[in-house]
Amino acid sequence: MSFVLTEEQRAIAKAASDLVARRAPVAHLRALRDSRDPVGFSREVWREMASVGFAGIGIPEAHGGSGLGLTELGLVLEACGRALAPTPLVSTVLLGAPLVLAAGDEALRARELPLVASGERVIALAHEEGPHHAPTRVTTRAEPHAGGFRLTGEKSFVLDGHVADAFVVVARVAGEADDPRGLALFFVEASAPGVHATRLHLVDSRNAARVRFDGVTAAATLGVPGEAFALLDRVLDGARAGLAAEMLGGADEVFARTLAYLKERQQFGVAIGSFQALQHRAADLYCDLELTRSVVLEALRAIDRGDPEAARLVSAAKARAGTTFSRATAEAVQMHGGVGVTDELDIGFFVKRARVADVTFGDSAFHRDRFARLSGF
Amino acid sequence: MSFVLTEEQRAIAKAASDLVARRAPVAHLRALRDSRDPVGFSREVWREMASVGFAGIGIPEAHGGSGLGLTELGLVLEACGRALAPTPLVSTVLLGAPLVLAAGDEALRARELPLVASGERVIALAHEEGPHHAPTRVTTRAEPHAGGFRLTGEKSFVLDGHVADAFVVVARVAGEADDPRGLALFFVEASAPGVHATRLHLVDSRNAARVRFDGVTAAATLGVPGEAFALLDRVLDGARAGLAAEMLGGADEVFARTLAYLKERQQFGVAIGSFQALQHRAADLYCDLELTRSVVLEALRAIDRGDPEAARLVSAAKARAGTTFSRATAEAVQMHGGVGVTDELDIGFFVKRARVADVTFGDSAFHRDRFARLSGF
Amino acid sequence: MSALDDFRAEARAWLEANCPASMRTPPSSDDEDTWGGRRATFFSDDARLWFERMRDRGWTAPTWPRAYGGGGLSEAEGRVLEEELRRLGCRMALKSFGIWMLGPVLLEAGTEEQKREHLTGIARGELRWCQGYSEPGAGSDLASLGMRAVREGDHYVVSGQKIWTSHADKADWMFCLVRTDPSVPKRDGISFLLVDMASPGISVRPIRLISGNSPFCETFFDGVRVPARNLVGREGGGWAIATSLLKHERAMIARIRDARAEAEEALESIAKRVLGEARGEVADRVVRAELAQLGIDVLANKLALRRAAEEVAAGRPAGAESSMFKYCGTELGKRRREMRVRLLGLSGLGWEGEGFTPAELSATRDWLRSRASSIEGGSSEIQLNILAKRVLGLPA
Amino acid sequence: MSALDDFRAEARAWLEANCPASMRTPPSSDDEDTWGGRRATFFSDDARLWFERMRDRGWTAPTWPRAYGGGGLSEAEGRVLEEELRRLGCRMALKSFGIWMLGPVLLEAGTEEQKREHLTGIARGELRWCQGYSEPGAGSDLASLGMRAVREGDHYVVSGQKIWTSHADKADWMFCLVRTDPSVPKRDGISFLLVDMASPGISVRPIRLISGNSPFCETFFDGVRVPARNLVGREGGGWAIATSLLKHERAMIARIRDARAEAEEALESIAKRVLGEARGEVADRVVRAELAQLGIDVLANKLALRRAAEEVAAGRPAGAESSMFKYCGTELGKRRREMRVRLLGLSGLGWEGEGFTPAELSATRDWLRSRASSIEGGSSEIQLNILAKRVLGLPA
């Protein structure tokens, strides 16, 4: 009965949505945007989330975490998605920490993971180099140097890159761009000489940066150099599924707001929700959402149970989350009419987040292609 | 003012639709189907159409035709499309005759074209070999023999193939399948030894056959052997545009029937055409039809004026005609409800014709691809 | 080991031992189905054997009481049995509108006498039933039906017409909706009646569909006398019975179509065969992307069905979601059938005769037949209306 | 050579000689437009020169009578001039709601006094006008507008609020709809009024859109006194004027968007640049197929527009088809903008600042801005309603 939440899971979902409603509703993101906040999220809110255990999901209890799975993290992400709450959950909890956990040595894990779990540390993944997600398209070079490695290259899209305390950097020790062999992972302190991060101001007001590595000495090597791709893709799948859960939350919320508006807004003497053309579009969108919800939830669970089908389910989930979220926001704008395109209403924030989230870790087209490949056609 | 019909064109359109309404309404096709008519169209009706000049459009007056253009033929095809009237217009007037006219010697033209114009002769094009339209995918071989050529191969889809008096056969004198070079056109009498035609019973109850050529001696060679592709593709474009006009007529008619039903059928105490969800779908389909009509008409005119953009317009027209006709029939079925799927109503005939017509001479996907190529991307 | 595990082991062993090998493959056409009835026919000896063994164990209607010919299983045991049947790929031993639709209604709303008279015959496949709901003037607006039943002493006299009656030409009995009172609001004047198809005054005409012959019929009633004891529920109480029954019908439509689909060649393999392969992938990238989207949507729909089933099993009340599955399932089915003929190109245009394989001809017929799926059992538009109002709470 | 050919030659020669080179390229942003008015600004000296030359020839309003500052051209000459302007790629010398929307209304329904008072100033770009139609409670249901105008002697006193007033913050005058009689059916109590924006009691607040700053404003009226001679048509006769004017607006929206699109890099070339090329074709076949579909639809829409224009020119009455073009044009525009950001991927996510080119930042803003296009000027739903009822004749 994997789809039915346990007592514990229900408690986590409720705690997450209560905390988000209290500390990080959409107005929170709006305020950060309007004040041009240099950090881009609230460290205070993040510490509070950490204090109830959200930053430590996926981190073993021995390292200060809760040892829970992606299914539980998905509930937190869904709640954040409803409010578009900006946090380092994706950059750090879905990417940085799992990579350190899976491939760092004991000393690194013992030092970094408790700091992540307590909300004190942001560890970003520096991976993407082009305008489209291409996991193996890496030209950043890692050259042997003084018993370790020196990294040179530029990363185009690093989530939380300008506020990260450290990076996991994907670089190439061998092969040409697009070769899955020859990739390696390195741990790099943000303060290391030669690290240059430039903040990007994205349409969704969330954090991303362009990061250049100019002959930067890596603090540690994660795993076996040249053989990093399998691990990287597995961790990316967790992030894709987690992001899909966030997107599901966003789609759900923007649909709920649209339904409320359809019931409340009067035109021609009746609520506009009584117009059949809008009813049918809303009902069809409801079905779309329910199907997407089912495949997102299953993808998270499949990863948790180590299902060999997990990657295929993740691509199905990310592809559908992309189209459903985008469609839900398009209908939200159109059904809200004029006010829907004003900045005063929150709808636009969802429109923008849907776009960025679709592109992040592979858009719907990328994942349709990957789904086909993993399905053997 | 090329979109506005001239006096003469209006007269042709009216004559065509009167004749079709009188002699070949949908009931005519139904009767041919139910009686398992061995010919598949009415020779009598065809002679009557020829007597008012429809079989001779495109044939010079010197050869018994009217010398009119594709724009005029499009009007006749559109009228036939409305009634799904089965005639040799596509096989013979759009394909066989233009090929003879363009590449036959004077003797052949003088013998064949007057017979076509008088409705006495069916000349089919034997071209397609596979399950999808692929103009250069020809493996039928033509080997020099006694000063002429001997043809060997099988054609998968020859319109009017089982009732044709003669064939224009596409065969290869050089090169491999898919090479546009090396193709040649031959004139073959249906009675020639080694010609084996097997009628295919298609879903739309229209004529097609599989035709095998077993070392058949060609009666004549059309044009320069090995260099036939440019001519073939040009004539195919005429057929594609003409077929698109037929499809436009079909889409128009099935939409008109649907509108009438929406106004007449009562459910829940009102005409179902008053339901807004159906209204919006109908209005959107109306726009779809109007756009398709515009591009189909322009494609016909572009061919007539020798516009270098003609091929691109033809592909745009055929692609849109395919999707619009298919969509118009799908909505027709759904909006008619239960009766729409009964054989008793005519709607099903349109559904079936839409499918076959889409596949004929390249489906929408084929023409999207061709449009992109011709547009330089 | 729990009692349920015991039951599972026992059921599995029995099925392994008793289901003939040929009954463990999906049927390749509707002709292979077993429907029972007075004029029962069997596609093969295995089909008869499989039917008789299941019938004798009461597993044609597993959760019905033994007293009425059922298997006496609990709901939980019934689910286990279904799982084991699916695991082994067993065909349905008996298809029956009586078991799927009428039985649950009689168990709920029938009198003891009605149950005794009808249920055993249904469960044992001795009588075949059909459903008389739709009328020419009452399609989506079912409640406006007009077939009259006038009480005369201890009989009703029924006159009028039904349409879309599946297998009416082969059925022994019909359960149907009739208008017993035209003077009250339309939903209040409807009654639920059981009619012996052998009664004088009934005539049946099969309906030809755009896909060819069909199981559907028009049924005409001309002064047909029906004993009053064949009224189920109270006079005028038919509408509530009808709507509860429609839910069973929606679920059934989804289930039956799925079984047929399993026998078909996968779209991906058709695509590779017809359009070619490149490095093990469908060579046409555009078609491949469409197949991927379809595959993802089919997967999502399957997971949504499973999620709903798990939630119901966990105690959440089943709601109007059957409308969602009816809608999504039939629309997906149409897409799949459309895609199949598109992939086949010229080979997907055959109607009959030489030049096409049986699978190709089925592709054409199935494609056309699928067009009716979003109309029958409540059109897509009706399902969207239900979702908008009952699930989303949008105003009328 | 006909008189029209003479005119064409003459117009062409004049334009060649008088349109500055920089005015023959499409504008790359809205900031480059010339709008005139008391506080007129010009993007460049060429823009001012071009405006002044066209104004002095009366070609800012070519078909208006010379007496009112127009060019005195016939309809046929006007079309020729438009063709020649398009051939040369000339920018609009003066953008003006006064010319596009108010002028035609005044010419039709204005008094001689009103024409003399306003038309010349409009044609010469001396006064800039804005349109006060929508209100917060009256969007798609425009006729339910509530801004009150109460007659007091030879003035109306106007109170209420307008929204979506383009350039209200820069306009000198507003033409607007007001409710003069709340006691009659809603369409009968509406009047059409001209208001000097300098009148005491008017305040304006710009609206920020999801795409950033916008020309739209909210306009508040608090006891604004408007001379009664500024009523156009009769009191209560505003609705007919309003609907005739809406047609001009729909046509205008389509025209303006088109000009902007010409300055953008073609989608096909973005696709090749970002996704790579193979044998001169877009390497990603799936994207390529989508681009082809979009290209075909844009072409079909363009041909449909041309066909409609030719039919009108041939004497067929212009009908509700403007709704079709408004609907199709804006939906196509949205698809094109969506496709552009999709092609750009991460580069299509920029809002401001470093890391993005100006073209990339425009792509984001244009994409967001395009979302409003299917709402403003009558939403897509309203256009579909109009088509269903007026063109298809479906029942209400």
Side-chain angles (χ1 to χ4, degrees), chain D residues 129 172-174 176 193-197 199 202 221 224 226:
Chain D
W129 287 77
D172 306 306
W173 279 73
M174 173 190 276
C176 62
L193 211 56
L194 310 178
V195 182
D196 188 333
M197 291 296 279
S199 315
I202 296 182
F221 290 73
V224 177
V226 179

Side-chain angles (χ1 to χ4, degrees), chain A residues 32-49:
Chain A
L32 289 167
R33 178 195 75 173
D34 290 346
S35 67
R36 298 177 170 262
D37 185 273
V39 175
F41 64 91
S42 159
R43 294 202 187 272
E44 208 186 326
V45 170
W46 179 231
R47 272 189 217 104
E48 189 169 335
M49 294 181 108

Side-chain angles (χ1 to χ4, degrees), chain B residues 70 74 77 94 236-246 296 299-300 303 314 317-318 361:
Chain B
L70 211 52
L77 283 158
L94 282 168
L236 275 175
D237 267 340
R240 288 160 178 152
L243 181 58
E246 192 213 295
V296 169
L300 295 164
I303 292 177
V314 166
K318 182 67 169 59
F361 311 142

Side-chain angles (χ1 to χ4, degrees), chain B residues 2-3 21 32 69 112 123 165 261 264 280 285 366:
Chain B
S2 57
F3 277 115
L32 290 168
E112 297 295 329
I123 307 178
D165 303 296
Y261 190 77
E264 153 205 324
H280 280 200
L285 181 52
F366 175 92

Side-chain angles (χ1 to χ4, degrees), chain D residues 333-376:
Chain D
K334 288 200 293 182
R335 269 170 72 194
R336 210 177 53 226
R337 301 300 163 95
E338 178 89 19
M339 181 58 96
R340 189 153 60 129
V341 289
R342 270 183 52 205
L343 291 174
L344 289 170
L346 301 170
S347 308
L349 303 179
W351 178 251
E352 63 186 13
E354 283 181 82
F356 300 95
T357 67
E360 286 167 352
L361 293 174
S362 290
T364 312
R365 303 286 185 131
D366 290 349
W367 161 65
L368 287 164
R369 180 63 184 81
S370 73
R371 292 302 172 93
S373 68
S374 53
I375 296 166
E376 63 197 293

Side-chain angles (χ1 to χ4, degrees), chain A residues 349-364:
Chain A
F349 283 83
F350 289 89
V351 174
K352 294 165 178 177
R353 181 59 189 151
R355 180 98 278 282
V356 178
D358 181 46
V359 172
T360 307
F361 311 142
D363 64 9
S364 293

Side-chain angles (χ1 to χ4, degrees), chain B residues 1-4 263 273-274 276 279-280 283-284 286-287 290-291 293-294 320 368-369 371-373 376-377, chain D residues 268 272 281-282 285 288 292-293 296-297 304 307 310 324 327-328 381 385 387 389 391-393 395-396:
Chain B
M1 303 247 174
S2 57
F3 277 115
V4 179
K263 292 174 192 175
S274 65
Q276 197 197 32
Q279 289 188 343
H280 280 200
D284 185 75
Y286 166 79
C287 296
E290 286 304 301
L291 263 58
R293 185 187 321 282
S294 305
R320 275 200 66 98
R368 272 194 295 273
D369 176 75
F371 177 88
R373 199 167 59 249
F377 66 94
Chain D
E268 294 79 13
K272 285 182 181 177
E281 297 180 354
V282 175
R285 310 298 285 180
R288 180 172 171 270
Q293 185 62 60
I296 288 170
D297 293 346
R307 182 162 67 92
E310 286 180 11
M324 174 170 106
Y327 171 64
C328 293
E381 288 76 13
N385 284 346
L387 287 168
K389 276 156 197 137
V391 178
L392 304 183

